[in-house]
Amino acid sequence: MHSISEENYIKAIYHLQGGKALVSTNEIAGRMNTKASSVTDMLKKLADKNLAEYVPYKGARLTDKGVLCANQIIRKHRLWEVFLVEKLDFSWDEVHEVAEQLEHIQSQKLIDQIDKHLGFPKKDPHGDPIPDRHGNYEKTNKTVLSKLKKGDKGTLIGLIDSSKNFLKYLDKQHMKLGTHIEIVDFEEFDLSYTIKVNGAELQISKLISDNLYIKLN
Amino acid sequence: MHSISEENYIKAIYHLQGGKALVSTNEIAGRMNTKASSVTDMLKKLADKNLAEYVPYKGARLTDKGVLCANQIIRKHRLWEVFLVEKLDFSWDEVHEVAEQLEHIQSQKLIDQIDKHLGFPKKDPHGDPIPDRHGNYEKTNKTVLSKLKKGDKGTLIGLIDSSKNFLKYLDKQHMKLGTHIEIVDFEEFDLSYTIKVNGAELQISKLISDNLYIKLN
DNA sequence: CTAAATTTTTAGACAAGACTAAAAATTAAT
DNA sequence: ATTAATTTTTAGTCTTGTCTAAAAATTTAG
């Protein structure tokens, strides 16, 4: 249907879109480690295929067709991540690269059977929601830890950054999805937090607190 | 490491090699649904990479390095086939196309964990042996059914042709790997056999008998 | 053993996707 | 409101892998 390269651009635009009306050429190039000129070429192609709207010099946005396509790719990526962790004993910092390859395998039956085999999971190992066949997924109420105040209590349910180093840091602190967290103190000077995790107190920097999603009790 | 295209050529040469000293350009082109000129180009590239020896106008043969590479691809292909059948309820005529894609996923850990997850199977769903990490595999004594004589008894342990239509024919006759077979009669005129399978007698043509591997009791 | 048929290779072209360098458009700044 | 800085696009090139058509080599036949 679509080439691997096209799929990777669709995914990048989807992730960069957020609230914005248009995603710029440079943003896409940055995320994909490619050059702006290559992005321009691809945006024209995606527009031809009605997967994106492209406004020269302004940027691009996925069409409904493009969004659906992105959701299918993300569905595959996240289901494969669950598979790798649950069935093949991968750790959560090892799954991304392999899932980047597996997400491009073309077989509707394959992905639906994987879904079934895993018991139709709703979340991937990093707490991100898994779209169903139709592109729908559960939105959960979540707050970035850096928005919390002293005394707030909640559960770690997701990550913003999912880079290897961040995941390894969390492992080192014995923090994983479902871990209970309590805000013990907040330091105005460097915006760091003291939190209680697994019964012990832990200092976390602003950067860390900006990358943890908490569900308040 | 190697491109998907390179891997597909390596696999094709491996499968065509058999006893022959050299596999011809046209044979490769035929098996891969490509043109002879494309094959020539690729053979030069494989020779540059020391994956094949290429003798212009004569053909090519895999080097030891090429054979090892072929075995790794075949290992991946066959393990994925077992996975699809055992874990995801695919039928044996559905697995090939998907495995053709999955065999190119690059991750040593992935394939070793799949192997472990499946309990280190020795045979794929069509009875073909699965090489281990080092490229070694079990060779079993097998005889093509068309070599058997009246009264011979044995077990179906493998197939030569594994095309969809042949697999569906076998399903229709309730024949699968492990099915016990007895030669009831042989007809000199059209070289057809009468065999006893699952307690019932069945006529099979020469073509069928040429594509079944039997292990004699 | 030469001529015909076949196979293989070469030469040149094309498509996808990426890159560089330069031009054009947009945005920011004085 | 011009100039300066930045972003984006265009134009042209490169690589991988493919193709067609023509040339060269090999094999087969008479």
Side-chain angles (χ1 to χ4, degrees):
Chain A
M1 201 58 212
H2 311 120
S3 73
I4 290 177
S5 199
E6 285 166 350
E7 292 196 347
N8 285 332
Y9 276 96
I10 289 168
K11 212 174 26 142
I13 298 168
Y14 182 89
H15 282 125
L16 292 168
Q17 186 95 51
K20 295 194 257 309
L22 290 170
V23 180
S24 80
T25 303
N26 255 5
E27 282 179 283
I28 300 169
R31 176 175 244 264
M32 298 191 66
N33 293 311
T34 185
K35 295 298 154 72
S37 55
S38 310
V39 176
T40 301
D41 288 347
M42 183 57 86
L43 292 183
K44 288 176 185 165
K45 194 192 295 186
L46 294 179
D48 284 348
K49 292 196 171 189
N50 194 32
L51 291 161
E53 286 171 58
Y54 167 53
V55 185
Y57 292 102
K58 299 295 176 180
R61 143 184 51 226
L62 293 181
T63 60
D64 288 353
K65 190 178 161 198
V67 170
L68 191 62
C69 180
N71 276 314
Q72 293 313 306
I73 301 164
I74 289 163
R75 168 175 162 77
K76 289 195 276 181
H77 183 100
R78 293 182 180 165
L79 282 171
W80 279 115
E81 288 196 340
V82 175
F83 171 75
L84 294 173
V85 168
E86 299 274 311
K87 303 293 183 183
L88 302 189
D89 296 316
F90 276 61
S91 56
W92 67 351
D93 57 293
E94 292 176 315
V95 295
H96 187 73
E97 298 161 49
V98 184
E100 288 276 300
Q101 297 181 62
L102 288 163
E103 72 190 3
H104 301 296
I105 301 290
Q106 306 282 356
S107 166
Q108 190 60 54
K109 175 160 185 173
L110 175 62
I111 202 61
D112 288 343
Q113 289 296 102
I114 289 272
D115 197 10
K116 188 176 168 189
H117 184 52
L118 297 170
F120 306 104
K122 295 277 173 289
K123 298 281 179 64
D124 80 3
H126 313 106
D128 296 313
I130 298 174
D132 68 17
R133 257 189 308 284
H134 313 293
N136 305 311
Y137 55 89
E138 272 181 21
K139 296 150 184 76
T140 28
N141 284 333
K142 56 195 179 187
T143 318
V144 176
L145 194 147
S146 56
K147 294 268 165 63
L148 302 189
K149 303 171 306 294
K150 199 165 163 175
D152 284 342
K153 295 175 187 178
T155 308
L156 176 60
I157 58 157
L159 313 176
I160 296 179
D161 181 11
S162 285
S163 67
K164 228 166 193 156
N165 284 340
F166 186 49
L167 295 168
K168 283 183 171 166
Y169 164 81
L170 295 176
D171 280 342
K172 195 158 64 182
Q173 307 302 340
H174 307 104
M175 289 167 74
K176 55 185 184 188
L177 299 187
T179 296
H180 186 260
I181 280 166
E182 187 179 334
I183 309 294
V184 176
D185 198 12
F186 173 64
E187 177 51 59
E188 288 283 355
F189 177 65
D190 64 353
L191 309 178
S192 71
Y193 282 86
T194 304
I195 64 177
K196 193 150 97 182
V197 184
N198 302 313
E201 290 196 358
L202 174 67
Q203 308 290 331
I204 61 172
S205 67
K206 161 119 177 86
L207 183 58
I208 304 284
S209 72
D210 275 337
N211 280 291
L212 297 173
Y213 278 131
I214 305 298
K215 183 171 166 182
L216 288 167
N217 288 357
Chain B
M1 200 60 213
H2 311 118
S3 73
I4 290 177
S5 199
E6 285 167 350
E7 291 196 347
N8 284 331
Y9 276 96
I10 289 167
K11 210 173 30 139
I13 298 168
Y14 182 88
H15 281 125
L16 291 166
Q17 185 96 50
K20 292 194 260 310
L22 291 171
V23 180
S24 80
T25 304
N26 255 5
E27 281 178 285
I28 299 168
R31 175 175 244 262
M32 299 190 66
N33 294 309
T34 186
K35 295 298 155 72
S37 54
S38 309
V39 176
T40 301
D41 288 346
M42 184 56 87
L43 292 183
K44 287 177 187 166
K45 193 191 298 186
L46 294 179
D48 283 347
K49 292 196 172 190
N50 194 31
L51 290 161
E53 287 171 56
Y54 167 51
V55 186
Y57 291 103
K58 298 295 175 180
R61 142 184 53 225
L62 294 180
T63 59
D64 287 353
K65 190 178 162 200
V67 170
L68 192 62
C69 178
N71 276 315
Q72 292 313 305
I73 301 164
I74 289 163
R75 167 174 163 77
K76 289 195 276 181
H77 183 101
R78 293 183 181 164
L79 281 171
W80 278 115
E81 287 196 341
V82 175
F83 172 75
L84 294 172
V85 168
E86 299 275 312
K87 303 292 183 182
L88 303 188
D89 295 317
F90 277 61
S91 57
W92 68 353
D93 57 295
E94 293 176 315
V95 295
H96 187 74
E97 298 160 49
V98 184
E100 288 276 301
Q101 296 182 62
L102 288 163
E103 72 190 2
H104 301 295
I105 302 289
Q106 305 281 357
S107 166
Q108 190 60 53
K109 175 160 185 174
L110 175 62
I111 202 60
D112 289 343
Q113 289 296 102
I114 288 273
D115 195 10
K116 188 175 169 190
H117 185 52
L118 297 170
F120 306 103
K122 294 277 172 290
K123 298 283 180 63
D124 81 4
H126 313 107
D128 295 313
I130 299 174
D132 67 17
R133 259 188 308 284
H134 313 292
N136 304 312
Y137 56 88
E138 272 181 19
K139 296 150 184 76
T140 27
N141 284 333
K142 55 194 179 187
T143 318
V144 176
L145 194 147
S146 56
K147 293 267 165 62
L148 302 188
K149 304 172 305 294
K150 198 165 163 175
D152 284 342
K153 296 175 188 180
T155 308
L156 176 59
I157 57 158
L159 313 176
I160 296 179
D161 180 10
S162 284
S163 67
K164 227 165 191 154
N165 283 339
F166 186 49
L167 294 168
K168 284 182 170 165
Y169 164 81
L170 295 176
D171 281 341
K172 195 158 63 184
Q173 306 303 339
H174 306 104
M175 289 168 72
K176 55 184 183 189
L177 300 187
T179 296
H180 187 260
I181 280 167
E182 186 178 335
I183 309 295
V184 176
D185 198 13
F186 174 64
E187 176 52 57
E188 287 283 357
F189 178 65
D190 64 354
L191 310 177
S192 72
Y193 281 86
T194 304
I195 64 177
K196 194 149 97 180
V197 184
N198 302 313
E201 290 197 357
L202 174 67
Q203 307 289 330
I204 62 171
S205 66
K206 161 121 177 85
L207 183 59
I208 304 283
S209 72
D210 275 338
N211 280 291
L212 298 172
Y213 278 130
I214 306 298
K215 181 170 167 182
L216 287 169
N217 289 358

